[in-house]
Each structure stands twice: as structure tokens, then as C-alpha cells.
Amino acid sequence: MEALDAGAVRRWAAAGVRALDAHRADIDRINVYPVADGDTGSNLLGTARAALEALLRAPSAERASAGGAVGALAAGALTGARGNSGVILSQFLRGFAEAVREQLAIDGALLRVALRGGAERAARAMAEPVPGTMVSVVRAAADAVAPGGALHDVVAASWRAAVTALEHTPRQLRVLADAGVVDAGGRGVVVLLGALLAVVEGREPDLRPESTAAPRRANPHVADREAGSDLFAYEVMYLLDGVEEAAANRLREVLVGLGDSVSVAGDGAGLWTVHVHCNDIGAAIEAGVEVGGPRRIRVARFADAAPDGGERFTRDRAVVAPVRGDGLAELLIAEGVSVLRVDDGREPTPYELLQVITGTGAAHVTVLPGHAVLMELADEAAIRAVAGGQDVVVVPCASPVQALAAIAVHDPRRRAGDDVVAMTEAAAATRRGEVRVAVEDAITWIGPCRAGDVLGLADGEVVLVEPGPPGPGALTRAACGVAARMLAAGGELVTALLGRDAPDGLEEALAAHLRAERPEADLVVYRGGQSDTVLVLGLE
């Protein structure tokens, strides 16, 4: 191959993902600097997958050239960067992309320039780069290439130099020599360059871990972070849009004062990925708020990793639910669910739910949002937990009664996939109703309502309006009316969750109504204690 066209770049990205996937466990095992770690291989793989996905989803015109394809990879790596190694990889690709922008193909001479550009960007990714790490291997790979070489010669020389530099990393860092391993991030560089060499030579990459040609001794240590000291308990990452470089530099200075392992890396067009190890999560996020609008916030708690070589996960399965109402929380806790208590008048943040998910210590976690407005939050927390290595599935349920229906069929003895299917089917088969008080004037599907009117909802739509004020009579009439409309389509079991403001006698009135109108339907009542609804109904 004389030059890399867009197709070759795409094949390199795919080969790199396959190779990192094959080497991931071994890379994770040898990560010891500055403390032992088990995440570098996983972080590199996650970042490479994000880059490949961005390339595959890019508009056809954008990925028609080699320069455009590398640009798409760099953009995807930046937004999907995980850990220090992911940030460094994203910046390497950014520097690479800046050198080949608008080029239809990349020959040997241009590749040499691109490698140097990538190495320079990678070196600037971290606030305090250290010799003997991933950045050193990248730099050696770029510096070894002589001018004027053909494409194959450039790639082969770069790969050989990376292998040699990787073998030398224990001489640069005593901690590597003491553990008998090479740098984990540097080994990832060797794997990626090896994948590029395979593409240029027209063959499949060798997916055997031994093919890196680098020393590989099992590391008996497992720790809780990819880099930085053990003084800080959390890893915080997020993206910032539309931020100027001066503001990003100020943010970097603030974060250095909060913790270590700081990187604030951008794409040159105002998008930045931010990474820090710290103890004050709020301060790290607020620092980002000062200069822009943080999004895709990810928080990982290092204590969730198991020390002394133990397994990271302490159990196989767990169920998690954000909950409004003490009664409902106690009900779910009694069923073995890990709950996030949601305070009145405040929406939880994704990282609060993330902490509950990771705190379960479970390899597989099923999340039951139990409320329509919590679905997106649950998805965001799940994405971050999956990025950290957990298997997390969100069961769609827009009401706490659907969450109760799902937990009723939960069976940890089943395979995880089968159990999720059963819980999803149970939640979907449960119709939901609500009685609540209107907080403002509005137009509903059945006409206008005023603040203080009592609203009856079935499956999220207003089906009746009882004029206010919301006294016991209006609330009871609404409850019976919603139940009657829902049962008109059939049903055998009605579950009622009484809210904090449910009037005395509501349970008895609802039971009497069902005995008179639908004697075939059973009624189960719980005191949920939720403040946002007077009554929640479920029909199965």
C-alpha cells in the first residue's frame, strides 16, 4: 500500500478496536504507575470504540477522504475519551488529523508529519507528563521515522520504535521495574501501531497478546485509578462546548488546585474534554460551569475497585431505583433494591444515581427509573456506569407501580438477559394512573384546567378534571373515576400507592367503589409517601 485512503483509515480504526479488545485484559493487568490499576486497557478500548462509531456515523462526504476520516475519529475519541489514556489517544488523533486535513490520501511523507503532530498534541494533553509513560512511547514512535520513507517503511519504523521505547519504560520509571512490567498505556500504543502496520501490509492484525513483542509479566496488584496519587477519591470527566482557550487554561489551573491527573484537552473548535482526580466533585463540576456548560458528566469512585488483587465486583446482580417517598423506598429496600432517595423539589443528578449503581458492587445492574422524568437521568447514569465496566440495563418504567411490577417478577436465579426481559414485559404490561393537583393553569386533552384543580391521568394523559379546591371529595371522585376508566379495558389487579397528601378514607372509598363496580378486580394498597402525586394506580 502506497497511501492510506479513507477506506484504509476505516480499516485501521476497526482493526485497532479488535486488537485492543484482544489485549485489553493483559493491558489492564500490567498498569502500575503511579499506583497499580486495572483500567487502562478498558479505557483505551472504550475511547477507540467511540472514535470508530463516530467515523461510521459521519456524513458520507466527511468520511470520503483520509483527512476527513481521521478528523471524524479524532472528534469521536474526544467526546468518548475515558481516563488519562483515552484523553491522550484523543489528542494524538487530533494532532494527526490537523496534519492531514483535507487530504484525500496519506502517503509516507505526510504520515511522518501526522505522527509528529499527534505526538506533540499527546504530550500537551496532561498537565504534568512523565517520562516512561504512554506519551514517551508515542514520542519515540514519531521521532524514529526518517524523512522520505515510503508508507510501509514509515509505519514499520514507527511500530519498531514504539516496541523498543515500551521495553525501555521500566528504566525510566522505577515503579515499573519494581513490578516487572512495562507501561500499560505505552503497550496500547504498540497495539494500535501494530494494527496500522497490518492494514498497510494487507493482513489481519495478530490478536494474540504475545504479538506486542514487549515484556509481559502478570501484575499481582489491582488498584483503583489509572493515574495520579491515592490522595483523591473520585475521577471526574465532562465535556465543555464553545469555550475559548484562555478560559480552558484558567479551568486547568483551578483543577490543578483541586486534585491531580488533570487534563483539559480540546479539538481546536471550542469543544474540550476535562479530566481530574479529586475529592470535591461539586467544585470540579462548578469550575466547568464557570467557563461553560458541562455535559456528559461522568464520576467514578475509586473505592469501588477492589484492592489486593480481588475482583472488582462483589456480587453478580443488583437492582437500583430512584425513589420519591419514604414508604415506597422502604417497600423496595425490603425487596432487596438499592434505592436513591429523591428529595422533594429537587431532581437528582446522573452522578448521584451513578454512585448508587457503582456502590452495589454488582457486575450486572438493572435500573428501574419509576418516573417519566427520571428515564433520561437513568440512561445517562447507565452510560457512565457501562463506560466504567459495569453491565447496566435500564428497564423502561414511567411510574413507580411499573417498577413494583418489574421487581415482583425479578429472579436472580435466571440469566441476566432473561430476567431483564421478564421485568421489562411486566413493566410494559402494567397500565398506570395518577391523581394529582394542578399547579398552574393549562390546556389538557379534555379541556382547560386551573391551578388547584384535581387531575386524573391514565397512561400519562389527563382523562378527567375535578374543579378545585382539592378537598377529600374531589380527590376521592378523581381516584374512583381514573380506576373506572382504566378498568373499562379489563384488568385483574389494581395496585394503589397513597401519596403524602392522600386524604383519610381514600383507601376505603376506592375499595368500596371496586367492590361495587368491579368485584372481580383485587386491590392492593401501599403507603408510598410520594409528594408529587396524591395517588398512583397500577393495573395488571
Side-chain angles (χ1 to χ4, degrees):
M1 184 180 295
E2 296 181 358
L4 297 171
D5 59 11
V9 171
R10 189 165 56 251
R11 290 194 297 276
W12 175 33
V17 168
R18 293 198 305 274
L20 284 172
D21 193 22
H23 291 258
R24 177 189 58 79
D26 289 311
I27 295 175
D28 283 345
R29 279 198 293 269
I30 65 171
N31 198 192
V32 299
Y33 175 76
V35 291
D37 178 65
D39 281 344
T40 294
S42 300
N43 287 342
L44 284 170
L45 175 59
T47 304
R49 279 176 171 162
L52 176 59
E53 182 177 356
L55 173 58
L56 297 177
R57 291 185 177 183
S60 57
E62 183 177 328
R63 51 189 169 88
S65 66
V70 176
L73 288 175
L78 181 69
T79 57
R82 288 174 50 188
N84 295 337
S85 55
V87 173
I88 293 171
L89 175 57
S90 75
Q91 291 304 284
F92 170 77
L93 288 173
R94 176 190 170 186
F96 196 113
E98 289 172 343
V100 300
R101 188 178 293 134
E102 308 298 333
Q103 299 296 315
L104 288 175
I106 304 169
D107 60 11
L110 185 56
L111 180 61
R112 175 177 177 270
V113 175
L115 289 171
R116 287 181 174 270
E120 291 173 2
R121 281 289 180 189
R124 283 154 40 193
M126 304 306 296
E128 298 178 1
V130 176
T133 59
M134 180 178 178
V135 172
S136 300
V137 177
V138 169
R139 171 60 71 186
D143 290 346
V145 179
L151 178 67
H152 180 270
D153 295 338
V154 170
V155 177
S158 178
W159 179 78
R160 286 193 299 267
V163 171
T164 301
L166 180 63
E167 292 173 344
H168 289 167
T169 54
R171 304 177 189 176
Q172 297 170 286
L173 276 176
R174 178 65 180 272
V175 66
L176 299 178
D178 291 344
V181 297
V182 294
D183 179 69
R187 186 171 171 190
V189 174
V190 171
V191 169
L192 289 171
L193 290 175
L196 177 59
L197 181 60
V199 169
V200 172
E201 293 179 346
R203 58 176 175 82
E204 283 294 308
D206 193 340
L207 302 182
R208 296 172 298 174
E210 293 77 12
S211 67
T212 57
R216 188 171 60 87
R217 283 182 249 173
N219 171 28
H221 306 290
V222 176
D224 47 13
R225 67 199 73 227
E226 183 183 13
S229 73
D230 59 1
L231 299 176
F232 303 103
Y234 296 93
E235 177 185 59
V236 178
M237 293 191 72
Y238 51 82
L239 298 177
L240 290 173
D241 289 311
V243 175
E244 296 182 355
E245 187 168 357
N249 291 335
R250 292 196 303 271
L251 173 61
R252 183 182 293 108
E253 293 176 1
V254 172
L255 295 178
V256 168
L258 290 175
D260 66 11
S261 192
V262 174
S263 66
V264 181
D267 66 349
L271 177 64
W272 301 81
T273 185
V274 179
H275 177 281
V276 63
H277 294 175
C278 63
N279 289 324
D280 193 339
I281 299 170
I285 295 174
E286 288 169 5
V289 173
E290 291 293 326
V291 299
R295 64 181 178 89
R296 292 183 63 175
I297 301 169
R298 187 172 78 239
V299 178
R301 183 172 58 181
F302 294 132
D304 293 330
D308 302 327
E311 293 295 330
R312 174 183 175 187
F313 302 117
T314 58
R315 55 176 170 152
D316 293 332
R317 311 271 282 282
V319 180
V320 168
V323 176
R324 286 187 170 92
D326 291 338
L328 179 59
E330 293 172 3
L331 185 63
L332 290 173
I333 290 172
E335 296 294 331
V337 178
S338 298
V339 304
L340 169 64
R341 295 178 185 262
V342 180
D343 298 332
D344 292 343
R346 186 184 70 85
E347 294 300 331
T349 61
Y351 71 79
E352 288 176 312
L353 183 56
L354 175 66
Q355 288 179 336
V356 177
I357 293 172
T358 57
T360 64
H364 176 90
V365 178
T366 304
V367 181
L368 305 174
H371 201 290
V373 300
L374 298 179
M375 289 288 294
E376 184 176 352
L377 174 139
D379 288 335
E380 187 71 21
I383 290 171
R384 296 170 188 170
V386 169
Q390 274 181 296
D391 181 16
V392 182
V393 178
V394 178
V395 172
C397 49
S399 171
V401 290
Q402 293 179 323
L404 289 175
I407 200 62
V409 301
H410 169 54
D411 186 352
R413 295 170 298 181
R414 282 194 293 245
R415 292 189 345 179
D418 294 338
D419 194 43
V420 167
V421 169
M423 296 173 75
T424 302
E425 290 176 345
T430 302
R431 298 185 61 201
R432 55 193 172 93
E434 294 181 10
V435 175
R436 61 172 60 200
V437 178
V439 297
E440 61 183 2
D441 295 351
I443 300 296
T444 75
W445 285 105
I446 62 171
C449 72
R450 294 186 177 278
D453 287 349
V454 178
L455 306 180
L457 296 86
D459 296 322
E461 300 293 346
V462 176
V463 295
L464 61 86
V465 177
E466 284 283 343
L475 294 170
T476 300
R477 288 192 299 272
C480 294
V482 171
R485 282 167 171 77
M486 294 175 66
L487 282 165
E492 299 176 351
L493 175 63
V494 178
T495 301
L497 283 176
L498 300 177
R500 183 187 62 190
D501 298 325
D504 294 338
L506 179 58
E507 176 182 350
E508 291 76 10
L510 183 59
H513 172 78
L514 293 179
R515 283 196 302 270
E517 302 295 333
R518 294 285 179 174
E520 73 280 6
D522 294 325
L523 174 65
V524 178
V525 180
Y526 301 105
R527 295 198 171 275
Q530 67 275 10
S531 61
D532 57 335
T533 55
V534 175
L535 177 72
V536 178
L537 293 174
L539 179 62
E540 301 174 55

